[in-house]
Amino acid sequence: MKKMLFILFFAAFSTLSFAQSSASINANFEITIEDSNNKIPEYISFNINSLPFASQESLDKFCQTFSMPYHEMHGNLALHEIRVHFNQAILNDKNIDLAALNEHFITLSKRMQIVYSNL
């Protein structure tokens, strides 16, 4: 019985933890976050297969360039992934919501294209 409750709890927790938010990046470097509760998640990750970086070093340089006080980017070339961690305290203090954050990433996209092309 305990084992069954644990399995049910784990399944429910997994669904709640991972099914609410998704993120994507397109060829124009436009990052979009979608959340069923319209909240900024603790972090997002997205696949970068369509954005081939020459090396881990170039991916690190790209991520460092676009890390800011309210979000930090970290890339993993082996996993073809960028993960963005959000500083919820700063976002809350500045009253930045999900719509504003998505707009911020759209604004950054042109600069991201330039930096990527110069790596």
Side-chain angles (χ1 to χ4, degrees), residues 4 12 15 26 41-42 49 60 63-64 89 91 93-95:
M4 182 62 135
T15 302
N26 64 24
E42 180 181 332
N49 277 334
D60 290 342
C63 289
Q64 289 169 359
L91 292 168
D93 286 346
K94 294 183 177 280
N95 294 318

Side-chain angles (χ1 to χ4, degrees), residues 3-20:
K3 195 182 254 186
M4 182 62 135
L5 287 174
F6 175 77
I7 291 171
L8 289 172
F9 175 78
F10 182 75
F13 178 74
S14 296
T15 302
L16 290 173
S17 296
F18 302 112
Q20 293 180 354

Side-chain angles (χ1 to χ4, degrees), residues 24-32 46-47 50-51 106 109 113:
S24 61
I25 187 168
N26 64 24
N28 294 323
F29 290 85
E30 295 169 339
I31 298 171
T32 305
F46 46 86
N47 185 290
S50 62
L51 307 169
I106 297 298
S109 66
Q113 290 175 46

Side-chain angles (χ1 to χ4, degrees), residues 24 28-34 38 40 44 68 70-71 86 91 95-112:
S24 61
N28 294 323
F29 290 85
E30 295 169 339
I31 298 171
T32 305
I33 305 167
E34 295 179 14
N38 206 32
I40 298 171
I44 57 169
M68 302 179 178
Y70 48 91
H71 65 73
F86 298 105
L91 292 168
N95 294 318
I96 297 173
D97 63 6
L98 187 59
L101 190 59
N102 277 327
E103 187 60 35
H104 159 73
F105 283 123
I106 297 298
T107 302
L108 281 181
S109 66
K110 296 290 185 202
R111 195 167 137 224
M112 287 179 164

Side-chain angles (χ1 to χ4, degrees), residues 41-97:
E42 180 181 332
Y43 70 89
I44 57 169
S45 59
F46 46 86
N47 185 290
I48 55 169
N49 277 334
S50 62
L51 307 169
F53 286 86
S55 65
Q56 181 65 49
E57 182 181 358
S58 63
L59 178 55
D60 290 342
K61 184 177 178 181
F62 180 86
C63 289
Q64 289 169 359
T65 300
F66 295 102
S67 289
M68 302 179 178
Y70 48 91
H71 65 73
E72 274 189 36
M73 290 187 169
H74 301 279
N76 186 320
L77 192 59
L79 296 176
H80 305 282
E81 175 185 83
I82 289 178
R83 183 172 280 202
V84 183
H85 293 269
F86 298 105
N87 184 324
Q88 298 291 336
I90 293 175
L91 292 168
N92 290 336
D93 286 346
K94 294 183 177 280
N95 294 318
I96 297 173
D97 63 6

